[in-house]
Amino acid sequence: MSLFKSTKHTEACPECGAALQIKRGKQGLFLGCTAYPACHYLKPLQQNSRILKTLDEACPNAKPPYNSNRAALAFLLVAVPILTAILLCMKKARLRKVLIALNAKAIN
């Protein structure tokens, strides 16, 4: 076999004879017929794996599982000060409007 010759081989669809093409779907990679709307043949490329042995101890390099409480706390630590600042700003703006209205009534 030469390095300069193409080693690509095409597999024919057993149903219609058209070429099969590698595609990616929800279940992983598969060979699908290039004449797809007319022919629905497909052949999965990834086989279902099975567990050979379960280990009693955890891997020392594994990351700890995602903690949703930690994420919620991080969100609150960021969101609460921002929301507080926004509410204070809104209160100040309302207070300014009231003072301006009172000054306008006092002048008239």
Side-chain angles (χ1 to χ4, degrees):
M1 178 166 66
S2 172
L3 292 174
F4 301 105
K5 287 186 180 177
S6 174
T7 58
K8 182 178 176 181
H9 71 283
T10 56
E11 194 172 330
C13 174
E15 291 183 7
C16 70
L20 294 179
Q21 182 179 36
I22 296 176
K23 298 183 180 190
R24 182 184 311 263
K26 292 179 188 176
Q27 305 291 324
L29 295 174
F30 65 94
L31 284 175
C33 185
T34 54
Y36 164 63
C39 178
H40 294 279
Y41 177 80
L42 59 95
K43 176 181 172 184
L45 291 178
Q46 297 173 340
Q47 301 298 325
N48 293 336
S49 61
R50 59 188 177 97
I51 298 173
L52 299 176
K53 181 180 180 182
T54 56
L55 302 175
D56 295 331
E57 59 187 69
C59 175
N61 298 332
K63 293 182 181 178
Y66 177 76
N67 187 347
S68 61
N69 292 337
R70 190 172 172 191
L73 177 64
F75 173 76
L76 288 177
L77 290 175
V78 171
V80 169
I82 293 172
L83 291 175
T84 305
I86 291 171
L87 290 175
L88 286 174
C89 185
M90 290 170 64
K91 281 184 181 179
K92 287 180 184 177
R94 266 190 259 138
L95 184 61
R96 278 192 211 115
K97 285 181 185 178
V98 169
L99 288 175
I100 291 171
L102 288 175
N103 283 338
K105 284 183 182 178
I107 293 173
N108 292 333

